[in-house]
Amino acid sequence: SESPRVISTASGAHKFGGPIDFDDLQAERDYRVFGVYGRSKLANILFTRELARREGGGGLRAHAFHPGFVASDFSKNNGKLARILMTLGAPLARTPAKGAETGVYLCATGGEDAANGGYFYDMQPISPATHLIRPGDAERLWERSVDLTRS
């Protein structure tokens, strides 16, 4: 494509898990649902930044976005408490179409004026929780991911 794009779905929940724990990347020692989910979304933001850094010179645009709290079957398999919380929160949730809006925008035409590797919500660039992003984390996560996918 003349204008290749990679759009990653992240989440505001990236704030819940703390920084990436490279000593327990697979959460084998410390598995807590919300913490692991949060770190996985932080990893999506870091991946997007590193992809933009590595491939942006060739014209590729990479962005991540937060869809918001969306009414979906997201918590269907995460136990009773998660189902109850999602059911109680449903009246406050966005429709799936509204949740997808920023992702569609970025795929189609958006983000051209924003820094490559940006993070978006409601079609606007926003800052992720920078206190969770340590220097070198994006590159380190990339390299560790390469190692894990080779085996």
Side-chain angles (χ1 to χ4, degrees):
S1 163
E2 289 180 23
S3 179
R5 297 165 193 248
V6 175
I7 309 304
S8 302
T9 304
S11 171
H14 75 275
K15 301 169 188 169
F16 299 156
I20 301 294
D21 181 356
F22 288 97
D23 294 326
D24 191 21
L25 194 58
Q26 303 289 348
E28 294 171 314
R29 288 190 310 272
D30 184 22
Y31 184 88
R32 288 170 288 129
V33 171
F34 291 112
V36 169
Y37 179 75
R39 284 189 304 276
S40 75
K41 296 307 166 183
L42 177 59
N44 289 353
I45 293 168
L46 293 172
F47 167 84
T48 300
R49 285 183 167 191
E50 187 63 10
L51 179 62
R53 186 186 74 78
R54 288 174 180 255
E55 303 295 333
L60 180 124
R61 301 291 296 174
H63 295 300
F65 77 101
H66 169 46
F69 175 48
V70 178
S72 68
D73 287 338
F74 171 73
S75 67
K76 187 176 181 180
N77 298 318
N78 290 327
K80 281 185 183 178
L81 179 58
R83 280 195 304 273
I84 291 168
L85 291 174
M86 288 297 284
T87 300
L88 292 173
L92 305 172
R94 294 173 165 216
T95 65
K98 180 67 177 171
E101 188 175 68
T102 299
V104 172
Y105 161 77
L106 291 169
C107 287
T109 60
E112 293 298 325
D113 295 333
N116 201 3
Y119 178 55
F120 287 74
Y121 178 62
D122 283 342
M123 296 182 283
Q124 298 295 316
I126 61 171
S127 294
T130 54
H131 69 283
L132 297 175
I133 301 173
R134 300 169 301 207
D137 273 1
E139 184 174 7
R140 187 173 179 195
L141 181 62
W142 184 282
E143 295 300 330
R144 184 69 181 115
S145 298
V146 167
D147 290 344
L148 287 168
T149 55
R150 281 189 183 143
S151 46

